[in-house]
Amino acid sequence: MRNRYLRFLPGLLVLLLLPWGPAAQSTTACARWCPPNSSCVNSTACRCLPGFSASSGEVFTSPSDSCDDINECRPPVAVSCGKSADCQNTEGGYHCTCIPGYELASGAPTFRKESENTCQDMDECQQKLRICKSHSICINTQGSYTCQCLPGFKLNPRDPKLCTDVNECTAGSNPCHNSTHCFNLVGRYECRCRPGWKPIPGSPSSPKDIVCEDKDECSSGEHHCHNSTICTNTVGSYVCHCRRGWVPKLGFQNKQNTTVCEEVSFPTWMPPPGIKSQRLSRFFHRLQDLRGNLSSVSVQSTIQDLVQEVGDLLEGPQDLENLSQSEQQFVATNLLLGLENTLGWLGKALPIGAVTFSSSAGTVLSLEVQEQGYENITLIQNQTKMLLTWDTVHESGDSGPTVVGLLSTPGMGRFLAKAPLVLDTVEQAALHETHKGVLQELYHDLLSDVISAFISNKDPQNLRHPVTFIFQHSVIPGPREKVFCVFWEHGQNGSGHWATSGCRMVGTKDNSTICQCTHLSSFAILMAHYEVQKDSALTVISYVGLSLSLLCLLLAALTFLFCKAIHNTSTSLHLQLSICLFLAHLLFLTAIDRTEIKVLCSIIAGALHYLYLASFTWMLLEGLHLFLTARNLMVVNYSSVNKFMKKLMFPVGYGVPAVIVTISAASRPHLYGTPTSCWLNSEKGFKWSFLGPVCSIFLVNLAFFLMTLWILKSKLSSLNSDVSTLQNTRMLTFKATAQLFILGCTWCLGILQVGPAAHVMAYLFTIINSLQGIFIFLVYCLLSRQVWEQYGKWFKGIDITKSKSEKYTLSSKTTSDACKYSAVRSHITDTACH
């Protein structure tokens, strides 16, 4: 039956839908092109839904139009939600909400219009109990809230809800009294007494207002000092220090809370093994007596007895002098080491301050016992001074006194004088460089007493700053001698040698030498004698050249003195120049190396200084005479020039050098004479007391020479050409150039003896300067016709007739000029030397 009904169901549905067919087709066609958020009006028009609008109007027919959301919260609509509320636009509509910090009285989240606005303040602190973090409280405000920190805390700039602890004890804001210590806690602080302090009776009980005072642990018995020490109260603490005559035990320091002391004892000092000497045995037997009698109150007398015993041993060594040299050095090493250790240890038991011990034999001990805080230490004895800064011998962490000692043992030198000297590489290189590798053999002598410097609290081989020693000695180093600052370096076999490593000589002057060393030991000053192989070629050149110069200068002086044909002012100048050079060369040749006697050597250096300056001064006068003569060539008034020169030449020629030497000798007499030669010392530029005047004279003479040549050229050109030829201007120029070269330019070679060319310059200087006398004899004697005529009279014994005057055929003006010139010809010829 059911199947039969089902069979008619499709037809029935068709009959039912037939009336709706056209309308359905129309709606479907409209819906195909209407945009979203719109509805179909008919088959050709659409309408935007409420809350949307199209650009062409409410109903549109164009398929390209769209329905866009209308923002009711903005103009022109601008819905008003009322106070403390905001309009919130939605898709196709809007609603109102309370602003943050406010809520509707009903608790609803939104409302539609202003009349429904019931927004009121929200209490965030009640609704969110943990909105503020620890150490803070929440404070509700109108529409919001704030987090306020508890006392002792502050807001974190990076998180306004987080509070951090305030450190009231930071520098610059300490709220506690200066007698207390501020202790910061979480959210608060306390003022507590520092260790070793206690609250003042009656001070406020509040931890923030407490005031403290120093606690005397020593009087109250609260200290922990060992019974071998004495408690001394300090501000805020106390120290335990040894009693007088007691020293800290090994491994302990003085003036510490844990100090433990013991009575001072005599350090172990064993005699050198294998040495047989009754005198030495008695000395060590006496040391045993000193060790047995030592007590805390007898330290000072024990040190005095020890110094006396050492002095007696070294003053009369008796059988010690019969020991071999190596055994004597072995004994000396043992004595020096034993004295340094024993005196440094016993010195710790002395009171603070300086003390000096001495023996009848001349042994002297200076001790300085100091606490930390002194800037420097100076120990002075008769012939030695030691200077060092406090931080050189005292570390910042050290406590207690430091002992610095300086021991002078004059008799020790007899055991160590012949000990070998070992130079460090720097000293060896400097010595060989100074003498250009020609150093031969080195010997040495002691110039000072052997002194020992020691300290108690520090390794003496590793000092922070160098120690300065000033030695006084009676012997002054001579030529081929050098002073060394040395120390006694102990060998592994118990012997030793003198060494220079770590020590340098700062300076030496007369009888004083200054040394600086980076370690402490036993020191002395050695004077080394060394043999230097001289340059034989330079020696031969000097002796041969100076000998020939002396002969030529003597012949020149005799010629100027006895040859009457050439007597004039120029000849007198040549004579004085020859005499000064002769005496200077003779003194140089015979006495330049006489340095044995310092006073005599200084006199020789002063005489050479004067004679050489005088030679240059006479050369200056010759230049002046030449210039004045040439300037007056056209006027016959040369007699006035001669009168002027005769009045001037002797006061200037011998007076000016005397003034220069007098001033130099008065200002720095010790710089006349060097250890190797009797000449001027180059220290502090003293050599310029000679080179300065010489250079000045050379420059002035050069100016005179150039002006003279200019005058001769201008005046001779106005004469007849025959007259000009007759005067032989070439000879004038040659003589002037030769003299300027002889006594001027050659000394420039001495100044140029520096650098790689020094050796070549030394040869040129020696050759040319040693031949000065030969050059002078050649220029002024052998090249002079009048001198040759005089020599002919002397050797041939025949009279030479006087030359007749030459006659010239010249115009009146030329004849007059020629007569004038012939009158001064001899003067110009003989004075053209500059």
Side-chain angles (χ1 to χ4, degrees), residues 269-587:
W269 187 354
M270 301 300 296
I275 302 299
K276 296 181 180 180
S277 168
Q278 295 182 357
R279 186 69 184 89
L280 193 62
S281 298
R282 288 195 297 269
F283 171 77
F284 278 95
H285 180 72
R286 179 57 180 154
L287 290 186
Q288 295 296 331
D289 295 339
L290 294 178
R291 179 182 289 108
N293 298 330
L294 179 63
S295 65
S296 58
V297 296
S298 65
V299 175
Q300 193 160 342
S301 61
T302 300
I303 295 177
Q304 175 61 52
D305 292 340
L306 176 58
V307 172
Q308 183 63 44
E309 290 296 330
V310 172
D312 294 341
L313 173 65
L314 297 178
E315 183 183 25
Q318 299 175 1
D319 56 351
L320 289 176
E321 293 182 332
N322 299 327
L323 299 175
S324 64
Q325 185 174 341
S326 60
E327 289 177 330
Q328 290 182 6
Q329 296 171 9
F330 192 17
V331 171
T333 301
N334 179 273
L335 292 176
L336 291 174
L337 285 176
L339 286 171
E340 292 174 14
N341 295 333
T342 302
L343 294 175
W345 178 255
L346 295 178
K348 292 183 176 182
L350 294 175
I352 302 299
V355 61
T356 300
F357 304 91
S358 60
S359 71
S360 57
T363 300
V364 181
L365 170 66
S366 298
L367 287 177
E368 181 86 17
V369 185
Q370 288 192 8
E371 295 281 4
Q372 185 175 2
Y374 289 85
E375 293 183 358
N376 52 63
I377 300 174
T378 301
L379 296 181
I380 302 176
Q381 295 183 0
N382 292 334
Q383 295 185 338
T384 309
K385 180 188 292 186
M386 179 174 70
L387 303 95
L388 66 163
T389 57
W390 175 254
D391 58 353
T392 301
V393 298
H394 199 283
E395 294 288 354
S396 58
D398 292 346
S399 64
T402 296
V403 180
V404 181
L406 185 65
L407 174 67
S408 176
T409 51
M412 194 70 71
R414 70 182 68 193
F415 299 124
L416 303 179
K418 302 301 180 183
L421 171 62
V422 178
L423 300 178
D424 61 8
T425 55
V426 176
E427 289 282 2
Q428 290 181 358
L431 199 59
H432 283 275
E433 175 65 21
T434 302
H435 301 285
K436 305 302 179 184
V438 294
L439 186 67
Q440 291 182 330
E441 195 168 358
L442 191 68
Y443 308 94
H444 63 268
D445 294 325
L446 279 175
L447 289 187
S448 67
D449 296 336
V450 178
I451 60 108
S452 298
F454 54 88
I455 55 177
S456 60
N457 288 5
K458 192 174 183 181
D459 179 13
Q461 304 303 317
N462 186 24
L463 300 181
R464 183 180 304 174
H465 304 291
V467 180
T468 301
F469 296 93
I470 302 176
F471 292 90
Q472 302 292 333
H473 44 81
S474 57
V475 180
I476 300 176
R480 294 182 296 277
E481 293 177 342
K482 181 176 176 61
V483 174
F484 290 100
C485 299
V486 297
F487 72 99
W488 184 252
E489 188 169 27
H490 311 298
Q492 296 181 354
N493 59 353
S495 185
H497 59 267
W498 293 114
T500 60
S501 59
C503 292
R504 69 183 184 93
M505 185 186 70
V506 178
T508 182
K509 179 180 178 181
D510 295 337
N511 301 84
S512 176
T513 298
I514 302 176
C515 303
Q516 283 188 344
C517 297
T518 57
H519 55 80
L520 294 183
S521 179
S522 296
F523 301 93
I525 293 296
L526 293 184
M527 182 177 66
H529 311 267
Y530 49 85
E531 296 295 334
V532 178
Q533 182 181 358
K534 296 183 179 180
D535 193 331
S536 57
L538 283 177
T539 303
V540 171
I541 292 172
S542 297
Y543 277 91
V544 173
L546 288 177
S547 299
L548 292 176
S549 287
L550 287 174
L551 177 60
C552 291
L553 286 172
L554 179 61
L555 293 176
L558 293 175
T559 301
F560 298 145
L561 187 62
F562 296 107
C563 187
K564 296 182 180 181
I566 61 173
H567 278 185
N568 51 41
T569 303
S570 180
T571 305
S572 299
L573 294 173
H574 298 160
L575 175 62
Q576 302 305 321
L577 171 64
S578 300
I579 292 174
C580 291
L581 273 180
F582 179 83
L583 295 176
H585 287 345
L586 181 63
L587 188 61

Side-chain angles (χ1 to χ4, degrees), residues 211-255:
V211 180
C212 303
E213 64 179 358
D214 175 54
K215 180 194 297 184
D216 190 347
E217 296 87 351
C218 297
S219 60
S220 63
E222 298 181 23
H223 65 85
H224 300 283
C225 289
H226 192 266
N227 55 13
S228 63
T229 63
I230 298 175
C231 177
T232 300
N233 185 64
T234 60
V235 178
S237 185
Y238 65 93
V239 294
C240 309
H241 63 89
C242 296
R243 306 172 186 272
R244 181 177 177 182
W246 291 60
V247 294
K249 274 189 175 182
L250 186 64
F252 292 90
Q253 288 185 336
N254 198 17
K255 293 190 175 182

Side-chain angles (χ1 to χ4, degrees), residues 480-775:
R480 294 182 296 277
E481 293 177 342
K482 181 176 176 61
V483 174
F484 290 100
C485 299
V486 297
F487 72 99
W488 184 252
E489 188 169 27
H490 311 298
Q492 296 181 354
N493 59 353
S495 185
H497 59 267
W498 293 114
T500 60
S501 59
C503 292
R504 69 183 184 93
M505 185 186 70
V506 178
T508 182
K509 179 180 178 181
D510 295 337
N511 301 84
S512 176
T513 298
I514 302 176
C515 303
Q516 283 188 344
C517 297
T518 57
H519 55 80
L520 294 183
S521 179
S522 296
F523 301 93
I525 293 296
L526 293 184
M527 182 177 66
H529 311 267
Y530 49 85
E531 296 295 334
V532 178
Q533 182 181 358
K534 296 183 179 180
D535 193 331
S536 57
L538 283 177
T539 303
V540 171
I541 292 172
S542 297
Y543 277 91
V544 173
L546 288 177
S547 299
L548 292 176
S549 287
L550 287 174
L551 177 60
C552 291
L553 286 172
L554 179 61
L555 293 176
L558 293 175
T559 301
F560 298 145
L561 187 62
F562 296 107
C563 187
K564 296 182 180 181
I566 61 173
H567 278 185
N568 51 41
T569 303
S570 180
T571 305
S572 299
L573 294 173
H574 298 160
L575 175 62
Q576 302 305 321
L577 171 64
S578 300
I579 292 174
C580 291
L581 273 180
F582 179 83
L583 295 176
H585 287 345
L586 181 63
L587 188 61
F588 182 91
L589 189 62
T590 58
I592 190 65
D593 292 331
R594 301 297 183 184
T595 57
E596 297 83 2
I597 304 174
K598 181 172 176 57
V599 176
L600 178 60
C601 184
S602 299
I603 294 174
I604 294 172
L608 286 172
H609 189 194
Y610 175 77
L611 290 173
Y612 278 121
L613 280 181
S615 300
F616 277 91
T617 307
W618 286 108
M619 186 183 80
L620 174 64
L621 291 172
E622 287 191 70
L624 177 61
H625 185 232
L626 172 66
F627 170 69
L628 294 176
T629 303
R631 190 171 63 87
N632 293 276
L633 178 63
M634 298 303 297
V635 181
V636 186
N637 58 355
Y638 55 86
S639 59
S640 61
V641 174
N642 291 336
K643 291 179 181 179
F644 173 75
M645 291 301 301
K646 288 180 180 180
K647 293 180 180 180
L648 180 70
M649 62 182 185
F650 284 101
V652 173
Y654 290 111
V656 172
V659 172
I660 295 175
V661 174
T662 301
I663 295 175
S664 300
S667 61
R668 298 177 182 178
H670 61 281
L671 296 182
Y672 277 92
T674 69
T676 58
S677 63
C678 297
W679 183 234
L680 305 183
N681 198 319
S682 59
E683 180 182 348
K684 299 179 181 179
F686 187 67
K687 63 182 180 181
W688 286 100
S689 62
F690 173 72
L691 293 178
V694 167
C695 293
S696 300
I697 291 173
F698 173 73
L699 293 175
V700 173
N701 261 13
L702 181 62
F704 283 154
F705 167 66
L706 296 176
M707 288 189 295
T708 301
L709 289 182
W710 179 260
I711 292 172
L712 289 176
K713 176 184 176 182
S714 61
K715 291 190 175 183
L716 290 178
S717 62
S718 64
L719 299 177
N720 182 278
S721 59
D722 294 334
V723 176
S724 299
T725 304
L726 182 64
Q727 306 312 317
N728 198 357
T729 55
R730 293 184 179 179
M731 181 60 69
L732 294 177
T733 306
F734 167 74
K735 289 187 176 183
T737 306
Q739 182 58 33
L740 186 69
F741 178 76
I742 292 171
L743 287 182
C745 297
T746 56
W747 283 92
C748 297
L749 299 175
I751 303 177
L752 296 176
Q753 292 186 41
V754 293
H759 195 60
V760 176
M761 291 299 175
Y763 270 89
L764 292 176
F765 177 76
T766 303
I767 294 172
I768 298 175
N769 267 25
S770 63
L771 299 178
Q772 284 180 347
I774 300 175
F775 293 150

Side-chain angles (χ1 to χ4, degrees), residues 22-97:
Q25 292 177 359
S26 176
T27 303
T28 302
C30 177
R32 288 178 182 173
W33 64 270
C34 286
N37 302 320
S38 65
S39 61
C40 183
V41 176
N42 51 43
S43 60
T44 61
C46 297
R47 177 186 291 112
C48 290
L49 297 177
F52 297 91
S53 66
S55 58
S56 58
E58 181 179 358
V59 176
F60 55 91
T61 59
S62 174
S64 61
D65 283 345
S66 63
C67 292
D68 298 322
D69 177 53
I70 299 173
N71 190 347
E72 293 84 356
C73 296
R74 292 183 180 179
V77 181
V79 175
S80 176
C81 292
K83 184 179 179 181
S84 302
D86 285 332
C87 176
Q88 303 291 332
N89 183 62
T90 60
E91 186 75 15
Y94 72 96
H95 63 261
C96 295
T97 60

